[in-house]
Amino acid sequence: MSLSYNGLWKLLIDKNMNKMDLMKDVGISSGTVAKMTKGEPVSMTILEKICDKLNCDVGDLVHFVSEKGSETK
């Protein structure tokens, strides 16, 4: 099972933000954003900071993707 951060990318679009804005506003590294872009896990602390900044829940940011490729919520 892998992760999908499509919810995060959609929220950034809705808030007229890009990944650089996210890094600056939340204080996360480009390496962390790269991991999320690749669907790799990041710490809950990072997700908590993003949720605080974007005023959302973790489930709004990330979803598990089954081996068959369909997202699960």
Side-chain angles (χ1 to χ4, degrees):
M1 203 174 273
S2 63
L3 299 172
S4 169
Y5 293 92
N6 286 342
L8 171 59
W9 312 135
K10 289 174 185 174
L11 272 174
L12 291 180
I13 291 168
D14 291 345
K15 295 183 180 284
N16 200 29
M17 294 176 68
N18 60 39
K19 292 176 184 179
M20 291 298 293
D21 295 329
L22 180 69
M23 290 186 320
K24 184 183 78 169
D25 292 349
V26 178
I28 58 177
S29 71
S30 59
T32 299
V33 174
K35 287 174 101 175
M36 291 188 292
T37 301
K38 295 175 187 175
E40 297 175 3
V42 297
S43 74
M44 284 300 295
T45 303
I46 297 295
L47 296 176
E48 181 182 355
K49 288 179 182 180
I50 294 170
C51 287
D52 187 48
K53 174 62 183 170
L54 299 180
N55 194 28
C56 64
D57 194 325
V58 172
D60 298 327
L61 305 179
V62 62
H63 296 96
F64 288 106
V65 179
S66 72
E67 296 301 315
K68 295 178 183 175
S70 62
E71 288 189 15
T72 57
K73 295 183 179 185

